[in-house]
Amino acid sequence: AQSVTQLGSHVSVSEGALVLLRCNYSSSVPPYLFWYVQYPNQGLQLLLKYTTGATLVKGINGFEAEFKKSETSFHLTKPSAHMSDAAEYFCAVSEDTGGFKTIFGAGTRLFVKA
Amino acid sequence: DGGITQSPKYLFRKEGQNVTLSCEQNLNHDAMYWYRQDPGQGLRLIYYSQIVNDFQKGDIAEGYSVSREKKESFPLTVTSAQKNPTAFYLCASNTGESSPLHFGNGTRLTVT
């Protein structure tokens, strides 16, 4: 059965600092992995996705994530945080279990300090 | 522009009443989903539908019902059997398989 664990429900960084949001997954088959962002009282927007191929995935707004099969991880990074990055971030996994379902982690709220 | 419309944005109901949340998409997507979001718990899957007239239970289907009579529409009914219905409800769609989800802006349901 698939599951997603996000380490740290809250992360706080200074503007200009590195952003690192951690995600580990479990899946019995090669997974499809996603990061989404949510701003207050809105739906989720796709940041990036990993399907197959290159392990370093680039997304929107300067974010990228690296798929590490040996560590079952898919951590999200951004070299330099901007105030507008403050939001909640969700890691998600999708696999074929007789129909595709997407399962989400609990989310990490990112705070950016001026 | 194509997208997903959820209505209403805010909904208030008394305990014991059924309530239906609307979800309409004009993206021509085959698959549609309902998620429930509670603080600190992420999104939990309630129901999903991959084709018209067919749907499957997700992880927390008890107390909810859905229908999929048209490709564009996937309404969710929160019944009086749902023990803790106050939450933020999100509807999503995709082309199926492993494609990313497109989300509506959600409906915040408060039951008192």
Side-chain angles (χ1 to χ4, degrees):
Chain A
Q2 53 186 334
S3 67
V4 179
T5 302
Q6 291 185 239
L7 297 175
S9 59
H10 297 85
V11 170
S12 182
V13 301
S14 297
E15 194 172 20
L18 171 73
V19 175
L20 171 61
L21 305 181
R22 300 177 188 274
C23 173
N24 288 87
Y25 69 92
S26 69
S27 174
S28 56
V29 298
Y32 300 96
L33 296 161
F34 307 86
W35 276 98
Y36 291 86
V37 61
Q38 185 183 34
Y39 298 99
N41 293 312
Q42 293 186 23
L44 281 67
Q45 303 169 33
L46 179 70
L47 272 180
L48 51 81
K49 64 177 180 179
Y50 169 80
T51 52
T52 57
T55 56
L56 185 63
V57 181
K58 293 190 184 300
I60 62 171
N61 301 337
F63 284 93
E64 61 183 35
E66 186 173 10
F67 172 63
K68 290 189 176 179
K69 185 178 178 180
S70 60
E71 299 177 7
T72 61
S73 69
F74 190 56
H75 302 331
L76 181 72
T77 61
K78 181 173 180 178
S80 176
H82 192 272
M83 297 296 287
S84 61
D85 295 326
E88 189 151 25
Y89 292 80
F90 293 92
C91 182
V93 61
S94 176
E95 65 178 31
D96 186 1
T97 55
F100 279 87
K101 297 192 304 182
T102 301
I103 303 299
F104 287 83
T108 298
R109 184 165 295 279
L110 176 66
F111 297 92
V112 182
K113 299 174 290 186
Chain B
D1 283 342
I4 298 180
T5 301
Q6 290 188 245
S7 59
K9 190 170 179 65
Y10 299 95
L11 192 52
F12 298 89
R13 280 293 183 270
K14 295 289 188 187
E15 204 172 293
Q17 294 179 334
N18 291 356
V19 60
T20 297
L21 282 59
S22 170
C23 177
E24 303 277 333
Q25 55 103 354
N26 61 4
L27 298 165
N28 199 32
H29 286 171
D30 288 317
M32 297 186 74
Y33 308 79
W34 275 105
Y35 287 90
R36 171 183 170 137
Q37 185 176 18
D38 297 283
Q41 296 194 50
L43 280 70
R44 293 181 290 167
L45 183 62
I46 305 172
Y47 268 98
Y48 62 108
S49 167
Q50 295 182 312
I51 56 172
V52 175
N53 292 323
D54 188 41
F55 48 82
Q56 289 79 38
K57 292 182 180 180
D59 300 315
I60 56 164
E62 186 175 347
Y64 299 97
S65 66
V66 293
S67 63
R68 186 88 187 276
E69 296 176 1
K70 298 186 300 182
K71 187 174 184 178
E72 303 79 21
S73 179
F74 191 41
L76 173 74
T77 296
V78 184
T79 75
S80 57
Q82 169 48 233
K83 291 185 173 59
N84 186 18
T86 294
F88 190 50
Y89 290 87
L90 286 161
C91 180
S93 71
N94 67 1
T95 56
E97 297 189 351
S98 59
S99 61
L101 294 171
H102 294 252
F103 282 86
N105 279 330
T107 291
R108 189 167 297 280
L109 173 64
T110 302
V111 177
T112 57

